[in-house]
């Protein structure tokens, strides 16, 4: 996994010269989508902490626990998000499932927001938004860059999701069929945005610093599969003494794999 910080052109919060990028091997065994994120089940790229939208100064890591794992096989894009909930108010989930119906007011709940762009380099293609609360209530949209149209009735028919709120942590797991996203080759980069929308106190934390053009392909992180490569997980960024970056680098294959690690 390559994880690169954003660098903005001075005065332009939408001109990112470096994007966060994840390049990781295909998942060999699909995780069970049960809201548990069981030990050893998500053997794929892992980001330890989200960036806060409201921090001062700008673009600091959110102090609340929260991160995600992402990977894919030939059928699905898998994402697991694990974040803290408010210690006394808990998780805000006022809206209940109504079958497969989209519920627009779910934006007023604590939520997880996923954006996937199937052709971020091509200038055309489509990008998809999936926003859900901890009860699985969703709001989904598809936007087509070729003609500028928006399909507010799009839905991922094969989407699997599961949630658990336990011991102050909300764990959410997703399996999104690649065919629903019209993705045929994940060795080509897709755009990816993973967000946690907190209500107490409000903050939209995400994988990448804040930008104004939130739905622009230019400002999204990137994800792709590689044929051969290590699995990299961020394990921690500080301890009681200060900055202490911890990562795990493992070889998922049987052949020796030379790896060079550079921090900073």
């Amino acid at each position: 996994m390559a994880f690169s910080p954003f660098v903005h052109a001075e005065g332009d919060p939408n001109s990112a010269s470096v994007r966060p990028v994840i390049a990781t091997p295909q998942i060999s065994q699909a995780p069970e989508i049960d809201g548990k994120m069981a030990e050893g089940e998500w053997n794929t790229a892992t980001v330890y902490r989200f960036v806060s939208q409201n921090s001062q100064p700008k673009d600091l890591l959110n102090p609340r626990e929260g991160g995600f794992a992402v990977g894919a096989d030939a059928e699905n894009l898998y994402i697991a998000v694990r974040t803290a909930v408010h210690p006394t108010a808990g998780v805000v989930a006022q809206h209940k499932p109504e079958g497969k119906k989209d519920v627009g007011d779910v934006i007023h709940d604590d939520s997880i927001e996923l954006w996937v762009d199937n052709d971020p380099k091509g200038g055309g293609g489509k990008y998809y938004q999936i926003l859900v609360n901890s009860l699985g209530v969703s709001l989904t949209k598809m936007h087509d860059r070729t003609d500028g149209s928006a399909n507010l009735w799009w839905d991922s028919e094969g989407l699997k999701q599961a949630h658990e709120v336990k011991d102050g942590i909300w764990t959410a797991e997703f399996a999104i069929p690649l065919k629903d996203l019209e993705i045929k080759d994940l060795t080509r980069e897709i755009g990816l945005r993973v967000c946690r929308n907190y209500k107490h106190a409000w903050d939209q934390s995400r994988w990448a610093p804040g930008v104004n053009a939130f739905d622009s392909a230019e400002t999204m992180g990137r994800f792709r599969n590689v044929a051969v490569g290590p699995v990299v997980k961020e394990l921690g960024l500080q301890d009681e003494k200060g900055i202490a970056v911890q990562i795990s680098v493992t070889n998922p294959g049987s052949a020796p794999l030379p790896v060079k690690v550079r921090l900073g």
Side-chain angles (χ1 to χ4, degrees):
M1 175 179 69
F3 182 66
S4 304
F6 262 71
V7 177
H8 295 300
E10 187 173 355
D12 184 357
N14 292 323
S15 180
S17 59
V18 179
R19 301 181 188 88
V21 176
I22 288 176
T24 192
Q26 190 176 98
I27 286 181
S28 59
Q29 182 172 346
E32 184 176 355
I33 306 302
D34 57 4
K36 304 292 185 182
M37 208 172 176
E39 184 72 26
E41 191 175 49
W42 287 80
N43 186 31
T44 188
T46 303
V47 174
Y48 178 73
R49 192 62 58 91
F50 289 117
V51 176
S52 171
Q53 175 178 284
N54 296 334
S55 66
Q56 295 296 331
K58 184 176 170 60
D59 293 335
L60 298 180
L61 295 177
N62 195 313
R64 289 176 278 200
E65 183 174 348
F68 71 97
V70 59
D73 57 21
E75 302 295 330
N76 297 296
L77 177 67
Y78 301 98
I79 299 174
V81 183
R82 190 175 187 275
T83 60
V85 303
H86 193 277
T88 56
V91 61
V92 177
Q94 299 177 342
H95 298 87
K96 307 299 189 285
E98 300 179 25
K100 288 191 173 183
K101 178 183 175 182
D102 268 7
V103 179
D105 284 340
V106 74
I107 62 173
H108 301 298
D109 289 344
D110 277 305
S111 62
I112 290 167
E113 193 169 353
L114 310 175
W115 291 67
V116 179
D117 190 312
N118 65 16
D119 188 19
K121 291 183 176 181
K126 298 174 182 177
Y127 61 97
Y128 305 82
Q129 178 189 12
I130 300 172
L131 187 149
V132 299
N133 73 4
S134 61
L135 300 177
V137 177
S138 65
L139 174 64
T140 59
K141 299 178 183 179
M142 181 275 284
H143 299 262
D144 192 335
R145 284 202 172 88
T146 57
D147 58 13
S149 64
N151 182 348
L152 305 183
W153 294 272
W154 173 83
D155 191 20
S156 172
E157 293 294 333
L159 171 68
K160 295 180 181 179
Q161 59 170 309
H163 305 265
E164 181 178 79
V165 180
K166 183 178 180 181
D167 298 330
I169 297 294
W170 172 15
T171 302
E173 296 182 324
F174 304 89
I176 312 171
L178 298 181
K179 65 178 182 180
D180 289 356
L181 304 170
E182 297 186 47
I183 295 172
K184 297 180 180 179
D185 180 10
L186 257 180
T187 62
R188 298 177 66 245
E189 286 185 340
I190 61 171
L192 180 65
R193 201 182 291 288
V194 181
C195 309
R196 168 65 157 94
N197 300 321
Y198 294 92
K199 292 301 174 183
H200 295 296
W202 162 251
D203 192 276
Q204 185 180 64
S205 298
R206 76 285 296 271
W207 176 53
V211 291
N212 292 342
F214 188 75
D215 60 351
S216 169
E218 292 300 312
T219 68
M220 290 187 187
R222 299 287 195 260
F223 173 86
R224 63 185 172 91
N225 277 151
V226 294
V228 178
V231 171
V232 181
K233 299 182 180 183
E234 296 177 349
L235 303 179
L237 300 173
Q238 65 181 34
D239 58 20
E240 65 278 359
K241 296 180 181 178
I243 295 175
V245 177
Q246 303 172 57
I247 63 171
S248 161
V249 182
T250 58
N251 179 4
S254 55
L257 180 65
V259 173
K260 180 184 293 186
V261 176
R262 179 173 65 88
L263 299 178

